[in-house]
Amino acid sequence: MGMAAITIVMAQQPVSWEYSTSKVSDKVYEVHLKARIAQGWHLYAQEQPESFIGSPTTIKFNQHPLISLKGKPTEIGQLIKTKEPTLGYEAFQYAVGVEFVQRIHLKNNSKTNISGSIAYQVCTDKMCLPPANASFSVALN
């Protein structure tokens, strides 16, 4: 009986991801990785304070001979800074949703895809799910 409850919790992922690209200018694109977060859950930001003990969101882009990354992914959303009262650690997190945007440069105008993965962890005020991974691949054309 206990196993069924665990299966149900795992089946209802508190985060769903959407991936898209937008053309900024000739050979310059933005990759949008958008997280929708279920009510009561939060997702950690990429950068965290020194006292943080969870798993920050980490975005990795697979190497591609035609693509160069410009800087790091930026975050668009309402950043929440919290302090855990019992253990005293701080965390930077998002509730409801956040969009990670990576600017990239194409070496030529060929049609191609960019792919990678997102490592992330979601928590409520009471519990955390184990760190998870989402893979993405989006077209640049």
Side-chain angles (χ1 to χ4, degrees):
M1 182 139 172
M3 288 304 287
I6 290 170
T7 308
I8 291 165
V9 170
M10 296 309 284
Q12 297 173 331
Q13 276 301 323
V15 176
S16 64
W17 292 93
E18 289 174 21
Y19 315 114
S20 62
T21 57
S22 59
K23 188 168 185 173
V24 178
S25 59
D26 185 47
K27 298 186 189 122
V28 179
Y29 290 81
E30 284 180 347
V31 180
H32 299 264
L33 312 170
K34 191 177 199 170
R36 292 184 191 279
I37 306 162
Q39 190 169 353
W41 293 86
H42 54 261
L43 173 80
Y44 291 116
Q46 299 171 99
E47 301 293 324
Q48 292 294 336
E50 297 238 345
S51 63
F52 180 69
I53 58 171
S55 294
T57 299
T58 306
I59 298 168
K60 289 193 171 92
F61 287 90
N62 297 329
Q63 291 213 301
H64 191 297
L66 297 177
I67 296 169
S68 60
L69 305 180
K70 297 291 173 205
K72 291 185 165 158
T74 57
E75 297 172 357
I76 302 169
Q78 186 71 50
L79 184 67
I80 304 161
K81 297 181 178 182
T82 63
K83 189 166 179 117
E84 205 285 320
T86 323
L87 301 173
Y89 70 86
E90 295 175 289
F92 299 161
Q93 62 199 31
Y94 293 93
V96 184
V98 59
E99 190 166 356
F100 299 93
V101 181
Q102 173 69 57
R103 190 164 277 217
I104 60 170
H105 190 268
L106 263 182
K107 296 197 168 98
N108 63 35
N109 280 321
S110 60
K111 293 185 177 188
T112 188
N113 277 34
I114 186 164
S115 61
S117 62
I118 309 161
Y120 64 96
Q121 186 171 31
V122 288
C123 299
T124 65
D125 294 341
K126 309 261 187 295
M127 60 167 279
C128 290
L129 291 181
N133 265 298
S135 296
F136 61 88
S137 178
V138 284
L140 302 169
N141 44 21

